[in-house]
CSV table of all heavy atoms in Angstrom, one decimal:
chain,number,residue,atom,x,y,z
H,212,GLY,N,122.6,195.0,43.9
H,212,GLY,CA,123.9,195.4,44.4
H,212,GLY,C,124.9,195.0,43.3
H,212,GLY,O,124.6,194.5,42.2
H,213,GLU,N,126.2,195.2,43.7
H,213,GLU,CA,127.3,194.9,42.7
H,213,GLU,C,128.5,194.5,43.5
H,213,GLU,O,128.7,194.9,44.7
H,213,GLU,CB,127.6,196.1,41.8
H,213,GLU,CG,128.0,197.3,42.6
H,213,GLU,CD,128.3,198.5,41.6
H,213,GLU,OE1,127.3,199.0,41.0
H,213,GLU,OE2,129.4,198.9,41.5
H,214,THR,N,129.4,193.7,42.8
H,214,THR,CA,130.6,193.3,43.5
H,214,THR,C,131.6,192.8,42.4
H,214,THR,O,131.2,192.7,41.3
H,214,THR,CB,130.4,192.2,44.5
H,214,THR,OG1,131.5,192.0,45.3
H,214,THR,CG2,129.9,190.9,43.9
H,215,SER,N,132.8,192.6,42.8
H,215,SER,CA,133.8,192.0,41.9
H,215,SER,C,133.9,190.5,42.2
H,215,SER,O,133.4,190.0,43.2
H,215,SER,CB,135.2,192.6,42.2
H,215,SER,OG,135.7,192.2,43.4
H,216,TRP,N,134.5,189.7,41.2
H,216,TRP,CA,134.6,188.3,41.4
H,216,TRP,C,135.4,188.0,42.7
H,216,TRP,O,135.1,187.1,43.4
H,216,TRP,CB,135.3,187.7,40.2
H,216,TRP,CG,134.5,187.6,38.9
H,216,TRP,CD1,134.7,188.2,37.7
H,216,TRP,CD2,133.3,186.7,38.7
H,216,TRP,NE1,133.8,187.8,36.8
H,216,TRP,CE2,132.9,186.9,37.4
H,216,TRP,CE3,132.6,185.9,39.5
H,216,TRP,CZ2,131.8,186.3,36.8
H,216,TRP,CZ3,131.5,185.2,39.0
H,216,TRP,CH2,131.1,185.4,37.7
H,217,ALA,N,136.5,188.8,42.9
H,217,ALA,CA,137.4,188.6,44.1
H,217,ALA,C,136.6,188.8,45.4
H,217,ALA,O,136.7,188.0,46.3
H,217,ALA,CB,138.6,189.5,44.0
H,218,ASP,N,135.8,189.9,45.4
H,218,ASP,CA,135.0,190.2,46.7
H,218,ASP,C,133.9,189.1,46.8
H,218,ASP,O,133.6,188.7,48.0
H,218,ASP,CB,134.4,191.6,46.6
H,218,ASP,CG,135.5,192.6,46.8
H,218,ASP,OD1,136.6,192.3,47.3
H,218,ASP,OD2,135.2,193.8,46.5
H,219,PHE,N,133.4,188.6,45.7
H,219,PHE,CA,132.4,187.6,45.8
H,219,PHE,C,133.0,186.3,46.4
H,219,PHE,O,132.4,185.7,47.2
H,219,PHE,CB,131.8,187.3,44.4
H,219,PHE,CG,130.7,186.4,44.3
H,219,PHE,CD1,129.7,186.4,45.3
H,219,PHE,CD2,130.5,185.5,43.2
H,219,PHE,CE1,128.6,185.5,45.2
H,219,PHE,CE2,129.5,184.6,43.2
H,219,PHE,CZ,128.5,184.6,44.1
H,220,ALA,N,134.2,186.0,45.9
H,220,ALA,CA,134.9,184.8,46.4
H,220,ALA,C,135.1,184.9,47.9
H,220,ALA,O,134.9,184.0,48.7
H,220,ALA,CB,136.2,184.6,45.7
H,221,GLU,N,135.5,186.1,48.3
H,221,GLU,CA,135.8,186.4,49.8
H,221,GLU,C,134.5,186.2,50.6
H,221,GLU,O,134.5,185.6,51.7
H,221,GLU,CB,136.4,187.8,50.0
H,221,GLU,CG,137.9,187.8,49.8
H,221,GLU,CD,138.5,189.1,49.8
H,221,GLU,OE1,137.8,190.2,49.9
H,221,GLU,OE2,139.7,189.2,49.6
H,222,ARG,N,133.4,186.6,50.0
H,222,ARG,CA,132.1,186.5,50.7
H,222,ARG,C,131.7,185.0,50.8
H,222,ARG,O,131.2,184.5,51.9
H,222,ARG,CB,131.0,187.3,49.9
H,222,ARG,CG,129.6,187.2,50.5
H,222,ARG,CD,129.6,187.8,51.9
H,222,ARG,NE,129.8,189.2,51.9
H,222,ARG,CZ,128.9,190.1,52.2
H,222,ARG,NH1,127.7,189.8,52.6
H,222,ARG,NH2,129.3,191.4,52.2
H,223,ILE,N,132.0,184.2,49.8
H,223,ILE,CA,131.7,182.8,49.8
H,223,ILE,C,132.5,182.1,50.9
H,223,ILE,O,131.9,181.3,51.7
H,223,ILE,CB,132.0,182.2,48.4
H,223,ILE,CG1,131.0,182.7,47.3
H,223,ILE,CG2,131.9,180.6,48.5
H,223,ILE,CD1,131.5,182.5,45.9
H,224,PHE,N,133.8,182.4,50.9
H,224,PHE,CA,134.6,181.8,52.0
H,224,PHE,C,134.2,182.2,53.4
H,224,PHE,O,134.2,181.4,54.3
H,224,PHE,CB,136.1,182.1,51.7
H,224,PHE,CG,136.7,181.5,50.4
H,224,PHE,CD1,137.9,181.9,49.9
H,224,PHE,CD2,136.0,180.4,49.8
H,224,PHE,CE1,138.4,181.3,48.8
H,224,PHE,CE2,136.5,179.8,48.7
H,224,PHE,CZ,137.7,180.3,48.2
H,225,SER,N,133.9,183.5,53.5
H,225,SER,CA,133.5,184.0,54.8
H,225,SER,C,132.2,183.3,55.3
H,225,SER,O,132.1,182.9,56.5
H,225,SER,CB,133.4,185.5,54.8
H,225,SER,OG,132.3,186.0,55.4
H,226,ILE,N,131.2,183.2,54.4
H,226,ILE,CA,130.0,182.5,54.9
H,226,ILE,C,130.2,181.0,55.3
H,226,ILE,O,129.7,180.5,56.2
H,226,ILE,CB,128.9,182.5,53.7
H,226,ILE,CG1,128.5,184.0,53.4
H,226,ILE,CG2,127.7,181.7,54.1
H,226,ILE,CD1,127.7,184.1,52.2
H,227,LYS,N,131.1,180.4,54.5
H,227,LYS,CA,131.4,179.0,54.8
H,227,LYS,C,132.5,178.7,55.9
H,227,LYS,O,132.8,177.6,56.2
H,227,LYS,CB,131.8,178.2,53.5
H,227,LYS,CG,130.8,178.1,52.4
H,227,LYS,CD,129.6,177.3,52.9
H,227,LYS,CE,129.8,175.8,52.8
H,227,LYS,NZ,128.5,175.1,53.2
H,228,GLY,N,133.0,179.9,56.4
H,228,GLY,CA,134.1,179.7,57.4
H,228,GLY,C,135.4,179.1,56.8
H,228,GLY,O,136.1,178.4,57.5
H,229,ILE,N,135.6,179.4,55.5
H,229,ILE,CA,136.8,178.8,54.9
H,229,ILE,C,138.0,179.8,55.0
H,229,ILE,O,137.8,181.0,54.8
H,229,ILE,CB,136.5,178.5,53.4
H,229,ILE,CG1,135.5,177.4,53.3
H,229,ILE,CG2,137.8,178.2,52.6
H,229,ILE,CD1,134.9,177.2,51.9
H,230,LYS,N,139.2,179.3,55.3
H,230,LYS,CA,140.3,180.2,55.7
H,230,LYS,C,141.1,180.6,54.4
H,230,LYS,O,142.0,181.4,54.5
H,230,LYS,CB,141.2,179.5,56.6
H,230,LYS,CG,140.6,179.2,58.0
H,230,LYS,CD,140.7,180.5,58.9
H,230,LYS,CE,140.1,180.4,60.2
H,230,LYS,NZ,138.6,180.4,60.2
H,231,ALA,N,140.8,179.9,53.3
H,231,ALA,CA,141.7,180.2,52.1
H,231,ALA,C,141.7,181.7,51.8
H,231,ALA,O,140.7,182.4,51.9
H,231,ALA,CB,141.1,179.5,50.9
H,232,LYS,N,142.9,182.2,51.3
H,232,LYS,CA,143.1,183.6,51.0
H,232,LYS,C,142.7,183.9,49.5
H,232,LYS,O,143.0,183.0,48.6
H,232,LYS,CB,144.6,183.9,51.3
H,232,LYS,CG,144.9,185.4,51.0
H,232,LYS,CD,146.3,185.7,51.5
H,232,LYS,CE,146.7,187.1,51.2
H,232,LYS,NZ,147.0,187.4,49.9
Side-chain angles (χ1 to χ4, degrees):
E213 60 181 69
T214 190
S215 70
W216 287 116
D218 287 346
F219 186 39
E221 275 169 0
R222 179 62 66 114
I223 294 162
F224 291 166
S225 135
I226 295 170
K227 294 298 280 182
I229 292 169
K230 293 280 178 284
K232 181 173 178 286

